[in-house]
Amino acid sequence: MLSTSEEPIHQRLSDLFRERISSGDWKEGRPLPSEAELCAQNGVSRGTVRQALASLRSEGLITGGRGKPPVVAHPVPSQSFATFMSFTEWAHSLGREPGQRTLEIARRPAGEDLAGKMLLQPGDPVIQVLRLRSLDGNPTMVERSNFVADVGNALFDFDTDSGSIFGYLTSRGVDLSRGRHVIDAVGADETDASLLGVAAGSPLLREHRLTYAADGRILECSDDRYLPHLANFVIENTRASRAALVRVPLVA
């Protein structure tokens, strides 16, 4: 049954369809009801049904088209940028079990490239953390984090294999207020390949993040590399409220 709201009917219908997929009412690998059945069940036109199905198809929730009936696709966990969430919070929101294995935590001088990104001076100390992150025990992402020294020093008193670094720092009163995310693709280096069990050069989905305090100071710079079949990112916007999504041209 469609809810009553000011959203367009096709958006409400696509929300209903998503709920049927997430609840298991529409099972993975099984065809959806026909367009005629969906029209009759929901009291809407064929055009409205097609718009709702197009939304699901664009999100990778269903496959098919061009004469083939829509089928519920294998789900890929999505992380929303509607809120600023750590890997651990994201996993828990999906009902999945997050994991982490720390390969390295060290205090090092920032090189020129990292110093430029974090608005530091070359040679300023940063705390670097290299971890393998997992969902339900399956290697999912290689996490490379760089923290300014006065924030990162607290991690030497924390078991970084025990859970969320962001959660721990927040509990210590660190102001992790805002994040700026850049998403691109990158080939797996030797470390990525070894940890994720893929061949060197395999495509990975990379999230480069800068984390800011409320006063605008950069506290962290990360390079997180995901297996693309295990994660994707979703940004939602409306005409009234547009997400701050910027397309950045690549520099050759």
Side-chain angles (χ1 to χ4, degrees):
M1 197 73 174
L2 292 181
S3 63
T4 56
S5 76
E6 294 183 358
E7 285 187 332
I9 295 176
H10 70 87
Q11 288 186 15
R12 283 182 275 154
L13 191 61
S14 62
D15 288 341
L16 178 63
F17 291 170
R18 288 188 197 94
E19 183 181 334
R20 289 180 178 173
I21 292 173
S22 64
S23 69
D25 185 24
W26 289 353
K27 300 185 183 302
E28 178 185 341
R30 300 295 300 275
L32 273 60
S34 69
E35 288 184 1
E37 290 175 304
L38 293 173
C39 290
Q41 290 170 6
N42 298 283
V44 296
S45 69
R46 190 178 293 265
T48 300
V49 166
R50 287 178 176 172
Q51 282 183 286
L53 294 178
S55 294
L56 269 61
R57 191 174 288 108
S58 69
E59 296 167 19
L61 294 176
I62 62 174
T63 61
R66 295 186 177 179
K68 296 181 180 180
V71 172
V72 178
H74 174 72
V76 175
S78 296
Q79 181 168 1
S80 171
F81 285 167
T83 56
F84 180 44
M85 291 170 33
S86 71
F87 182 94
T88 298
E89 290 174 319
W90 171 55
H92 285 153
S93 74
L94 298 169
R96 309 285 287 273
E97 184 60 35
Q100 49 280 320
R101 177 163 63 93
T102 305
L103 286 305
E104 183 181 58
I105 177 169
R107 179 185 175 98
R108 293 196 176 95
E112 284 193 22
D113 182 59
L114 180 61
K117 292 175 181 176
M118 299 184 71
L119 303 182
L120 302 173
Q121 293 297 318
D124 282 353
V126 292
I127 308 305
Q128 298 185 327
V129 182
L130 173 65
R131 295 198 297 178
L132 174 65
R133 309 304 303 272
S134 61
L135 288 175
D136 296 337
N138 299 309
T140 301
M141 183 262 280
V142 177
E143 177 185 80
R144 294 171 172 87
S145 300
N146 303 273
F147 293 89
V148 294
D150 59 308
V151 171
N153 282 336
L155 299 180
F156 291 109
D157 297 322
F158 174 61
D159 179 3
T160 52
D161 281 351
S162 68
S164 170
I165 287 177
F166 273 26
Y168 172 73
L169 292 175
T170 300
S171 74
R172 302 251 317 192
V174 177
D175 176 22
L176 302 171
S177 177
R178 178 171 62 90
R180 179 178 185 272
H181 309 260
V182 176
I183 308 300
D184 63 5
V186 65
D189 64 18
E190 293 296 335
T191 298
D192 300 326
S194 174
L195 294 175
L196 295 173
V198 297
S202 296
L204 300 177
L205 183 64
R206 177 169 64 178
E207 175 200 0
H208 176 69
R209 180 181 64 247
L210 291 175
T211 305
Y212 299 79
D215 63 5
R217 182 187 177 210
I218 297 173
L219 303 183
E220 182 244 11
C221 176
S222 74
D223 178 320
D224 297 343
R225 303 183 181 192
Y226 292 79
L227 288 171
H229 64 282
L230 292 181
N232 61 32
F233 296 88
V234 172
I235 297 174
E236 293 187 8
N237 67 321
T238 66
R239 289 185 181 275
S241 177
R242 299 186 180 184
L245 171 64
V246 179
R247 293 177 176 85
V248 180
L250 296 180
V251 177

